[in-house]
Amino acid sequence: MTRGKIIYVTKERQVYSTIEFNGDMYPIDGGHGEEIIDFFQGHGFRDIQSYGRYVKRLDNRYFGYSSVYGEKLIHFKGLSREGLFDFTENYTDYLYLINHSDTEVQMELKEGKVVLPMGALAIVHYQNLWEIIPGDGTIEAGAPGKNELVKIMENMEWDLFQRQKEWIYAQQIQIEKWYGREAAALPMGILNMIDKIQEAWEEKMARADKNPCWYEERWYDEDLKTALENAEVEVTVANVTKLRNCCVHIFDDKSVRNEMLVDMARKMSDDR
């Protein structure tokens, strides 16, 4: 069984460590370490509270140590005043060390000392470094405002945005599977952010368009939900996503609407 621990260093250099989770804690091939990395890269580890919530979810989902044995999942290990972690005698398969302190820290490993930057995640395999995953230095940053979103759009192509949007919805479906129920409310902040990004991108493109659009057709998730209800199909996140993907190109053919424009032009001419 592959064992692992998650170690968290706060801004004040307080060090916390989980108990040793025993089973599939490797960072590849579907191991739980992949989820830890994804959560880190999604800025999920914001503070000690979010760290604690994640550890509790991990235990509930895969191990059940807390509910079955009454095991305390996280232990305070003290202050890291010198910023040095000695892993030369570590025998846990994988350690996931998250440095959210106000300075870089050093890790003493079999091959020598290795520096872990601020905001980064280190994966240690026994006494050796497996990988360092950098953070972006925005641990405590709030949600970006509209102007910041427009700046993001300057460097994001539409197809890239669509792929990322599809990825977010895929995560929502996965969450639903984990909890055995519809979990639309769980990532609502993320979904709202997607909507804001899309609006900012559309506004940017509209300003750059030399052939201004005088009419815009908008369809919303509520329309998809209504369609499912009318078709007597269960309204779930998975079904809404599936219907959305099926409908992506059904409005591309404008020939019927162009004929309507011609008919309206003729009618206008006849009325004069």
Side-chain angles (χ1 to χ4, degrees), residues 43 136 142-158 160-161 164 193-194 196-198 200-201 204 207:
H43 315 299
D136 63 0
K146 192 168 184 179
N147 291 337
E148 292 172 288
L149 288 171
V150 173
K151 291 179 182 177
I152 292 172
M153 292 303 98
E154 296 288 345
N155 297 314
M156 181 179 287
E157 298 295 335
W158 178 244
L160 173 61
F161 168 70
Q164 293 186 347
M193 183 62 67
I194 287 176
K196 290 180 181 179
I197 290 175
Q198 181 157 350
W201 193 92
K204 174 180 177 291
R207 288 194 301 271

Side-chain angles (χ1 to χ4, degrees), residues 78-123:
L79 295 175
S80 177
R81 292 187 176 88
E82 297 180 358
L84 178 64
F85 292 82
D86 188 350
F87 296 136
T88 55
E89 296 184 4
N90 169 58
Y91 293 99
T92 297
D93 296 77
Y94 291 98
L95 299 178
Y96 299 87
L97 173 60
I98 303 162
N99 179 24
H100 276 182
S101 70
D102 57 358
T103 184
E104 62 185 26
V105 299
Q106 288 188 326
M107 300 177 292
E108 186 76 46
L109 302 170
K110 188 176 181 179
E111 67 259 37
K113 290 184 180 179
V114 176
V115 173
L116 179 62
M118 296 169 53
L121 164 68
I123 304 174

Side-chain angles (χ1 to χ4, degrees), residues 11-271:
K11 186 177 180 180
E12 294 78 20
R13 304 185 194 179
Q14 297 169 321
V15 182
Y16 293 84
S17 175
T18 67
I19 60 173
E20 189 173 71
F21 291 110
N22 192 1
D24 300 336
M25 288 296 288
Y26 40 84
I28 55 174
D29 299 331
H32 305 323
E34 289 187 337
E35 296 180 26
I36 297 170
I37 295 169
D38 287 344
F39 194 72
F40 169 78
Q41 292 181 322
H43 315 299
F45 294 108
R46 298 181 302 277
D47 47 36
I48 187 63
Q49 288 78 22
S50 57
Y51 165 70
R53 288 192 294 268
Y54 177 81
V55 170
K56 185 177 180 180
R57 287 199 302 271
L58 182 74
D59 178 64
N60 289 340
R61 193 178 302 151
Y62 299 115
F63 300 100
Y65 294 159
S66 179
S67 61
V68 176
Y69 305 110
E71 188 89 44
K72 187 176 179 181
L73 301 176
I74 298 173
H75 298 277
F76 175 61
K77 308 299 288 186
L79 295 175
S80 177
R81 292 187 176 88
E82 297 180 358
L84 178 64
F85 292 82
D86 188 350
F87 296 136
T88 55
E89 296 184 4
N90 169 58
Y91 293 99
T92 297
D93 296 77
Y94 291 98
L95 299 178
Y96 299 87
L97 173 60
I98 303 162
N99 179 24
H100 276 182
S101 70
D102 57 358
T103 184
E104 62 185 26
V105 299
Q106 288 188 326
M107 300 177 292
E108 186 76 46
L109 302 170
K110 188 176 181 179
E111 67 259 37
K113 290 184 180 179
V114 176
V115 173
L116 179 62
M118 296 169 53
L121 164 68
I123 304 174
V124 176
H125 184 226
Y126 292 106
Q127 300 92 22
N128 299 306
L129 178 66
W130 177 278
E131 184 179 6
I132 290 180
I133 301 174
D136 63 0
T138 57
I139 298 164
E140 298 180 352
K146 192 168 184 179
N147 291 337
E148 292 172 288
L149 288 171
V150 173
K151 291 179 182 177
I152 292 172
M153 292 303 98
E154 296 288 345
N155 297 314
M156 181 179 287
E157 298 295 335
W158 178 244
D159 61 341
L160 173 61
F161 168 70
Q162 288 290 2
R163 289 198 300 273
Q164 293 186 347
K165 182 177 179 180
E166 290 172 4
W167 182 87
I168 290 292
Y169 281 113
Q171 302 314 300
Q172 189 180 16
I173 293 171
Q174 185 61 54
I175 290 169
E176 183 178 336
K177 290 179 180 177
W178 283 339
Y179 288 90
R181 59 178 173 79
E182 187 168 348
L186 194 59
M188 188 56 70
I190 296 175
L191 299 180
N192 289 340
M193 183 62 67
I194 287 176
D195 291 337
K196 290 180 181 179
I197 290 175
Q198 181 157 350
E199 289 173 8
W201 193 92
E202 289 173 349
E203 288 181 10
K204 174 180 177 291
M205 294 305 294
R207 288 194 301 271
D209 194 347
K210 296 180 180 179
N211 183 18
C213 176
W214 56 271
Y215 174 77
E216 183 177 29
E217 189 174 276
R218 289 196 175 205
W219 293 86
Y220 299 91
D221 281 1
E222 281 302 318
D223 301 306
L224 297 171
K225 293 177 182 177
T226 300
L228 290 170
E229 290 172 354
N230 291 340
E232 298 182 349
V233 178
E234 185 181 6
V235 178
T236 65
V237 173
N239 285 338
V240 169
T241 303
K242 186 175 180 180
L243 181 58
R244 182 190 301 109
N245 292 336
C246 291
C247 294
V248 168
H249 295 293
I250 66 172
F251 302 110
D252 287 356
D253 185 357
K254 299 180 182 178
S255 57
V256 174
R257 282 171 284 185
N258 287 336
E259 290 175 7
M260 292 171 63
L261 288 177
V262 174
D263 290 341
M264 188 59 68
R266 290 196 185 103
K267 184 177 184 300
M268 180 193 70
S269 178
D270 293 342
D271 289 343

